[in-house]
Amino acid sequence: MAQPFASVSAAAEYYGVEFAALEQLFARNGDGAACLRRRTSLVDTLVSGLWSLMGGATRSIALVATGGYGRRELFPYSDVDLMFLCPDARTETASRDLIRSMSQALWDSGLRASTITRNVRECDRFAPDNFEFTLSLLDRRLVIGHAESFALLKEKALPALMLREIDTMERLLQKSLYDRYARFGGTIFHLEPNVKEAPGGLRDHHTAQWFAALAKLGEARTWPHSGDLAPDPEVQAAVEFMTATRCFLHLRTHRDDNVLSWHAQDEA
């Protein structure tokens, strides 16, 4: 069980001190991958400690990291995507005040927390106009809480949903790729590139991973292991370079800034 903080203000102080240390370490070694791992671990500690402080350990709720947080790729100023997963609608209704207090505590501690609440059955529903939610569950990870609810999501609800909707997911993912490319003129050649969203940026790597996961699922009818999706060394080197660049941009402006502007290029 996680050790609770004495107060939300103590959690905020802890986060501030540890984040400053993260920033200083990156300034010395420029290691983007290590920066991501350290911030993810820091946020895990904060989420777990605050959940214990709020009395969440007594509830059958799983706190599930999704998106970049779920992948353990939490950039210095990226939002923290966190889902409160309840086993059923009754638990969800009874826990509204607790979840609201926890969400506020995360913000008061210094996190840009993007939180949602779902029960397991809701995660088995597919909405084409909000397929990004289902997509985010491809990168899900239990942080703390009710392991049984998370197991239901991971081992039953999510694989069944993906197998049922795999063709639609692949079509919508392809459309989102083309739409994103259109926003950047369909070219990798930019004088001031967006290292996350532009063609050739980090989002392309994530998209390739999602396509690979869906392909493995369609072929084997079972959920792929993370090792099945490991990139080759050349791709991994490129990802590490782009990761370090994005960390630099975030820490340079102290916000979620992903554009390598002229001034940023000079400073880099």
Side-chain angles (χ1 to χ4, degrees):
M1 182 182 298
Q3 286 295 112
F5 293 103
S7 64
V8 175
S9 60
E13 181 179 0
Y14 169 83
Y15 183 74
V17 170
E18 292 298 318
F19 189 89
L22 174 155
E23 192 168 6
Q24 292 167 6
L25 181 62
F26 180 78
R28 290 198 301 271
N29 64 21
D31 189 335
C35 182
L36 267 55
R37 290 193 299 270
R38 183 159 181 165
R39 188 181 180 225
T40 300
S41 178
L42 171 57
V43 173
D44 280 354
T45 299
L46 198 69
V47 168
S48 300
L50 285 172
W51 188 239
S52 296
L53 174 65
M54 296 291 157
T58 63
R59 305 293 183 93
S60 53
I61 301 173
L63 274 63
V64 180
T66 63
Y69 184 29
R71 293 190 299 271
R72 290 188 171 87
E73 295 178 1
L74 202 51
F75 284 84
Y77 283 91
S78 290
D79 289 356
V80 175
D81 294 324
L82 186 68
M83 178 172 66
F84 296 95
L85 179 66
C86 303
D88 49 51
R90 183 190 305 180
T91 302
E92 185 176 353
T93 300
S95 304
R96 284 175 180 167
D97 289 343
L98 169 64
I99 291 171
R100 187 181 302 112
S101 297
M102 177 65 180
S103 298
Q104 186 62 52
L106 291 170
W107 277 88
D108 291 344
S109 299
L111 296 184
R112 287 178 53 88
S114 179
T115 60
I116 59 171
T117 305
R118 295 287 188 275
N119 61 60
V120 174
R121 179 168 292 184
E122 288 175 317
C123 293
D124 190 33
R125 298 172 187 163
F126 182 72
D129 58 347
N130 186 28
F131 96 103
E132 291 85 359
F133 167 69
T134 303
L135 188 65
S136 73
L137 296 181
L138 288 174
D139 299 310
R140 73 271 168 260
R141 176 175 62 86
L142 179 65
V143 180
I144 191 172
H146 198 236
E148 290 84 354
S149 293
F150 181 71
L152 284 174
L153 171 71
K154 178 183 176 183
E155 297 169 12
K156 294 185 177 180
L158 193 55
L161 170 64
M162 290 299 178
L163 283 170
R164 190 172 68 244
E165 303 291 348
I166 188 168
D167 291 341
T168 304
M169 284 292 295
E170 288 179 334
R171 176 175 56 81
L172 291 174
L173 184 56
Q174 188 173 57
K175 182 179 183 301
S176 71
L177 173 67
Y178 292 156
D179 289 347
R180 178 165 55 83
Y181 276 18
R183 294 201 306 272
F184 293 94
T187 178
I188 63 172
F189 298 105
H190 291 268
L191 295 177
E192 295 183 305
N194 184 312
V195 299
K196 176 185 177 184
E197 298 287 350
L202 286 168
R203 183 59 75 206
D204 276 4
H205 173 60
H206 301 148
T207 301
Q209 294 284 89
W210 294 327
F211 271 124
L214 291 172
K216 291 274 186 184
L217 182 62
E219 293 168 3
R221 315 304 287 178
T222 58
W223 200 256
H225 299 290
S226 58
D228 297 336
L229 309 176
D232 65 40
E234 187 176 0
V235 172
Q236 188 58 41
V239 170
E240 290 175 1
F241 174 79
M242 299 296 281
T243 295
T245 304
R246 191 179 175 202
C247 286
F248 162 76
L249 291 171
H250 278 211
L251 294 172
R252 173 180 176 270
T253 58
H254 302 287
R255 60 186 178 88
D256 188 5
D257 178 16
N258 303 303
V259 176
L260 190 60
S261 66
W262 285 114
H263 293 301
Q265 290 174 36
D266 287 342
E267 290 182 29

